[in-house]
Amino acid sequence: GGRVLEPDAPRRKRNDPETISRLETAASGSVEDVTFNAVTNIEPATLAQLAGATGSSIDEIDGVITTLEKEGCVKRLGANHDYIISTAGWQEMVDTASNTLATFHRSFPLRPGMPLQDFRGQLKLKQPAFSAVSSSLMLENKMSTNEATVCVPTHKPSLSREQEDVATEYLKLISTDRYSPSTERTIDIEILQFLAERGDVVRISGDIVYPVDAYSEMESKIIEAGSEGQEITITSVRDLFGTSRKYTLAILEYMDSKGLTRRTGDTRFVR
């Protein structure tokens, strides 16, 4: 009769020195040693996972983790402290997160942050563990986030002097014909996205971009024209602004996508 040291252990290379050392510790060590080895093997781990890996109860594991935490060996993660990671494992996680965000900001300095799910993919975490790790990273001021992106707290997107000159010329160009902005000259997509995030422009289709005040005026007038159930057509909007079908159709489709108008056949109505 032998003793099971690691229930449900992952497959490892035969005679791996690190694995042998860990198993020897588990065979002869205290409950703290066994639990700590389980943490480093699974991390970040829940109490339930550690209980399953060590054959202990959740209450027993909770007490052991408290002891290890006081000794500076492990750290609890998340708002509810429901994940545990070794101190060394946490430092490695912090380094990976910081390097990942720094690399992203160097590559895309004008973007507000890295897409949240891309960041999770880089950390190779499932959603529950990612939520706990993110919460602890924010508590330590290593990152900040909104619903869609994540960044280092000090990151502030800004245009260089040369980019600002390009942006100024572009804004002047699309403002020349207020309701039919020129599409002849393109601008770097990163600068355009930055201008949209800053609130200077509204990109309503692939190549049609309005100054934000021009778009706001057009949107307001179209909604006013469709008040009291009046139908909105491509012709009526084209006549309202003296613009072409190209611009009229683009702005109506954009308003559809925002849920401001509802299309029925060739006509639209304000929602």
Side-chain angles (χ1 to χ4, degrees):
R3 177 184 167 197
V4 177
L5 298 178
E6 281 192 8
D8 302 318
R11 189 180 186 86
R12 297 190 179 91
K13 292 187 296 184
R14 184 186 296 272
N15 297 323
D16 177 58
E18 183 178 343
T19 301
I20 292 173
S21 175
R22 180 163 52 247
L23 293 176
E24 287 175 344
T25 300
S28 60
S30 64
V31 65
E32 286 83 5
D33 293 330
V34 172
T35 302
F36 181 73
N37 284 334
V39 170
T40 59
N41 190 46
I42 305 172
E43 60 187 1
T46 63
L47 292 176
Q49 288 174 320
L50 294 174
T54 60
S56 302
S57 71
I58 289 179
D59 287 342
E60 288 171 334
I61 289 296
D62 193 23
V64 174
I65 291 300
T66 297
T67 299
L68 291 172
E69 190 175 21
K70 289 177 180 177
E71 293 173 354
C73 299
V74 301
K75 175 182 176 66
R76 295 183 192 256
L77 302 178
N80 299 319
H81 297 164
D82 44 5
Y83 277 84
I84 296 93
I85 193 169
S86 67
T87 303
W90 176 243
Q91 186 57 56
E92 183 178 350
M93 186 73 71
V94 169
D95 291 343
T96 299
S98 299
N99 292 335
T100 296
L101 292 177
T103 299
F104 183 86
H105 291 323
R106 282 195 300 270
S107 300
F108 305 102
L110 296 182
R111 298 188 187 182
M114 184 177 190
L116 200 60
Q117 292 307 313
D118 290 353
F119 181 61
R120 180 170 74 87
Q122 289 296 313
L123 297 186
K124 299 177 181 178
L125 295 171
K126 294 183 178 179
Q127 188 59 52
F130 177 67
S131 296
V133 167
S134 295
S135 177
S136 293
L137 286 171
M138 286 188 286
L139 283 173
E140 294 189 8
N141 203 34
K142 302 297 184 183
M143 59 168 262
S144 58
T145 185
N146 56 31
E147 293 182 356
T149 63
V150 58
C151 66
V152 297
T154 56
H155 178 63
K156 291 185 178 8
S158 61
L159 296 173
S160 67
R161 181 177 300 177
E162 294 78 9
Q163 290 172 326
E164 195 69 68
D165 289 342
V166 169
T168 298
E169 286 299 314
Y170 180 74
L171 291 172
K172 187 184 299 182
L173 175 67
I174 64 173
S175 298
T176 301
D177 190 340
R178 186 170 181 79
Y179 303 130
S180 305
S182 174
T183 59
E184 293 181 1
R185 186 185 304 173
T186 59
I187 187 172
D188 182 272
I189 188 63
E190 294 294 324
I191 298 179
L192 179 58
Q193 186 171 318
F194 175 84
L195 292 176
E197 292 279 351
R198 195 169 71 176
D200 293 333
V201 301
V202 178
R203 187 184 187 191
I204 66 170
S205 71
D207 63 343
I208 299 177
V209 180
Y210 278 97
V212 69
D213 61 331
Y215 170 77
S216 296
E217 178 191 347
M218 295 177 76
E219 180 186 282
S220 178
K221 287 184 176 180
I222 291 171
I223 291 175
E224 183 181 352
S227 62
E228 298 181 0
Q230 295 294 311
E231 66 179 25
I232 302 167
T233 65
I234 292 176
T235 300
S236 67
V237 173
R238 185 180 60 198
D239 293 344
L240 181 62
F241 300 108
T243 189
S244 69
R245 177 184 175 87
K246 167 185 172 181
Y247 293 97
T248 301
L249 182 59
I251 196 167
L252 288 175
E253 289 180 342
Y254 182 74
M255 290 179 66
D256 290 345
S257 71
K258 289 179 65 180
L260 297 173
T261 50
R262 167 178 52 85
R263 181 178 177 181
T264 304
D266 293 330
T267 62
R268 286 171 170 81
F269 298 90
V270 174
R271 287 187 180 273

